[in-house]
Amino acid sequence: MILTIGNTKGGVGKTTLAVNIAIARAISGRDVWLVDADRQGTAQMAISIRAESEHQPGLACSQYAEGALLRSQVKQQGHKYDDIIIDAGGRDSTALRAALVLSDVLLVPFQPRSYDVWALSDIAALVDEARSIRDSLRAFAILNCADPSMTSSDNLEAAAAVADIPQFDYLPTPVRRRKSFANAAGQGLAVLELHPKDPKAIEELNNLVLALF
Amino acid sequence: MTITRPKAKTQLFNATQEIATTDFIAGAPDAGTTRPKGIQKGNKQQISLTMSPALLIKVDELAEKLGLSRAAIINMAVYRAVEHGLTIDGLEK
């Protein structure tokens, strides 16, 4: 399956989620290719840190910031992997568009903040355009860096706002704002591998992966 | 079976879809920033350029006079043309 984690807005936690999901899939025995479609190359950097510290399982990781190249490479090499996770940068780019053309599923992370909710319509417009030239692109919006409180009204309101955007299905497996996600991703690890363990973060990641695959 | 069914319509559809797909990808704001194909040397792109020997002699003389390289003179002249326009026979281009 080709999964793109993308949003035209930056700073929503795309790379952190992409690295965590890719590693979680690799741990469950899948052959994973993480494609960094962002010029900043953060995911690529995280995976190189992982490789240097010789963490197992290893992940294949490539960076293609240019849409045409991303598309041709994924078409050419894609069949060699069970799962391809594409981390597509925080702006409208050729790479993000190429990822939308290639993917089975688009996961759009957003934070329970007004600016994030406003920006959802931009990526929704791109999803519309992608759907006009291809079939069966499933698009999910997911709360990332959600407020840790289970009763947070901001979480509920942000989730409700997704209902106004018909392009997305809301995925009810929010990932909450926890240091362990960022700490793990910075070391090229998933929260599943972090010590000391953060059981809540692990549960959130597992639920998300289960909902997606 | 000796009669092969025509495939033209599907191929046509695929071709149209391919054009739509490449147009969609190239429609992104960063599409114009891609470099032209060819050999890159550091931040520059290597090109092959021919010019008349007489003009080349003049270029080299100017380069000598200004203490610049031939490439610098050519780059400066092209930059002026691209950024400030050309005047050919009194017509601004």
Side-chain angles (χ1 to χ4, degrees):
Chain A
M1 185 172 112
I2 304 182
L3 167 72
T4 290
I5 293 131
N7 194 338
T8 42
K9 189 180 181 306
V12 292
K14 291 178 299 297
T15 304
T16 305
L17 275 187
V19 168
N20 271 284
I21 293 171
I23 297 172
R25 290 298 281 171
I27 288 174
S28 66
R30 308 278 290 180
D31 208 350
V32 179
W33 184 21
L34 178 61
V35 177
D36 190 343
D38 189 351
R39 280 179 207 286
Q40 289 178 348
T42 314
Q44 172 91 299
M45 175 73 79
I47 297 305
S48 68
I49 288 169
R50 179 184 183 84
E52 270 171 31
S53 55
E54 296 180 0
H55 266 288
Q56 291 299 329
L59 254 76
C61 184
S62 313
Q63 187 191 2
Y64 306 113
E66 207 265 306
L69 182 64
L70 171 77
R71 182 166 173 239
S72 64
Q73 283 298 306
V74 171
K75 276 167 88 174
Q76 201 170 48
Q77 313 285 341
H79 66 277
K80 296 176 186 167
Y81 299 91
D82 301 324
D83 292 320
I84 302 170
I85 315 288
I86 305 175
D87 171 24
R91 67 199 75 82
D92 183 4
S93 66
T94 56
L96 174 61
R97 287 172 181 235
L100 291 183
V101 171
L102 292 163
S103 298
D104 301 304
V105 174
L106 167 69
L107 182 68
V108 181
F110 70 106
Q111 299 190 20
R113 303 286 175 260
S114 299
Y115 293 176
D116 281 43
V117 174
W118 299 347
L120 282 176
S121 59
D122 294 337
I123 178 84
L126 274 185
V127 168
D128 265 346
E129 214 175 324
R131 279 177 175 157
S132 73
I133 52 170
R134 54 155 298 178
D135 298 325
S136 66
L137 169 65
R138 286 185 290 153
F140 296 109
I142 184 204
L143 264 183
N144 191 32
C145 298
D147 294 342
S149 157
M150 289 294 171
T151 54
S152 157
S153 61
D154 285 357
N155 288 354
L156 295 174
E157 281 176 29
V162 177
D164 295 338
I165 305 167
Q167 287 86 349
F168 301 123
D169 290 324
Y170 176 70
L171 211 55
T173 52
V175 173
R176 291 168 208 280
R177 192 171 55 247
R178 302 185 193 288
K179 281 292 280 178
S180 50
F181 279 106
N183 290 348
Q187 299 170 54
L189 303 175
V191 282
L192 311 174
E193 302 167 301
L194 203 65
H195 292 286
K197 284 190 186 300
D198 180 343
K200 288 178 181 170
I202 292 173
E203 191 191 346
E204 284 169 6
L205 178 60
N206 283 336
N207 286 343
L208 171 61
V209 171
L210 258 179
L212 284 170
F213 293 93
Chain B
M1 201 168 95
T2 54
I3 296 171
T4 310
R5 299 221 170 165
K7 278 186 178 172
K9 279 185 183 168
T10 338
Q11 278 168 0
L12 191 66
F13 175 72
N14 284 344
T16 326
Q17 198 177 27
E18 178 61 29
I19 292 168
T21 306
T22 43
D23 282 354
F24 171 61
I25 293 172
D30 68 333
T33 59
T34 50
R35 282 169 169 240
K37 285 183 178 173
I39 302 163
Q40 280 160 23
K41 299 257 171 129
N43 289 326
K44 302 253 178 137
Q45 180 103 13
Q46 181 176 302
I47 58 165
S48 169
L49 172 72
T50 59
M51 72 172 70
S52 72
L55 181 58
L56 186 58
I57 288 170
K58 285 187 179 175
V59 169
D60 285 344
E61 282 172 0
L62 183 61
E64 174 89 35
K65 195 170 144 191
L66 297 178
L68 295 170
S69 68
R70 179 192 280 174
I73 295 293
I74 295 170
N75 268 312
M76 277 169 59
V78 172
Y79 181 84
R80 279 188 66 105
V82 168
E83 295 298 323
H84 304 291
L86 287 171
T87 307
I88 301 169
D89 290 341
L91 285 173
E92 293 277 335
K93 298 278 177 184

